[in-house]
Amino acid sequence: MNTAPENVWGEVVNNIGNAGIIIESIRVLHECRDILATSIGHDITLQFTGNRGRPKILIGEEILREYCYNLRLTVPEMADSFGVSERTVHRRLQDQGMSVRDSYTSLPDEELDELLENLINKFPRCGYKKMTGLLRSEGFFLPKLKFKKE
């Protein structure tokens, strides 16, 4: 590298030009962050705490209630829809005092046995998926483990 004064001065001028580009890039990134913080869709916002690390992803109570209780989506389905991790959905449900388990139909084992027996008599060659659909069409939403035990 040539350390002649004119070459050093040229390097300084080039670096000042690069610094301007870097500063402008940082300004644009801050603007993008502010836009994202406002809303990223589905009533989801990012909360910048000023601490290190990623911002907290907040999901509105109404949309969680709609997806969990009315649409009866599973946590993985909600996570895919929101574009977040399953763990984030679990945390936000917990923050709001909600649980996917609350959306299941409370049914004593004897009644479930009777209901399944009637459906099996009507549809003897019915598999797990079809049986689940039949139960849902009747208004019964059961956890997979309870249904599979029967």
Side-chain angles (χ1 to χ4, degrees):
M1 180 173 152
N2 191 350
T3 57
E6 59 275 357
N7 290 338
V8 171
W9 181 248
E11 287 295 315
V12 169
V13 170
N14 285 339
N15 287 332
I16 289 174
N18 290 341
I21 292 170
I22 291 170
I23 291 170
E24 179 62 18
S25 298
I26 291 171
R27 187 189 64 72
V28 169
L29 286 172
H30 280 283
E31 284 179 16
C32 291
R33 182 195 70 179
D34 294 342
I35 290 168
L36 283 173
T38 306
S39 178
I40 58 174
H42 284 305
D43 196 22
I44 298 173
T45 56
L46 299 176
Q47 180 184 39
F48 293 93
T49 61
N51 298 329
R52 291 182 181 181
R54 295 181 180 196
K56 183 176 184 179
I57 299 173
L58 303 175
I59 304 172
E61 181 179 358
E62 298 82 26
I63 196 75
L64 279 175
R65 191 171 304 286
E66 174 71 19
Y67 276 44
C68 186
Y69 299 131
N70 295 342
L71 298 177
R72 296 184 188 269
L73 296 180
T74 64
V75 170
E77 291 168 338
M78 285 189 267
D80 285 343
S81 176
F82 297 146
V84 300
S85 71
E86 292 178 27
R87 182 70 183 126
T88 297
V89 173
H90 278 291
R91 283 190 196 114
R92 297 309 153 248
L93 285 169
Q94 187 177 21
D95 291 348
Q96 302 293 339
M98 292 188 257
S99 171
V100 174
R101 289 184 184 126
D102 297 339
S103 67
Y104 296 139
T105 304
S106 177
L107 197 62
D109 288 341
E110 298 80 29
E111 288 182 35
L112 177 61
D113 290 341
E114 185 179 325
L115 178 64
L116 288 175
E117 203 171 301
N118 290 338
L119 287 173
I120 290 170
N121 287 337
K122 284 184 187 176
F123 306 97
R125 298 178 53 86
C126 181
Y128 167 75
K129 288 267 191 187
K130 176 99 174 178
M131 185 62 70
T132 303
L134 289 168
L135 286 168
R136 285 182 176 225
S137 71
E138 298 279 331
F140 297 101
F141 297 89
L142 303 171
K144 289 180 183 178
L145 291 177
K146 183 167 186 170
F147 178 68
K148 283 190 172 187
K149 284 181 185 177
E150 302 301 318

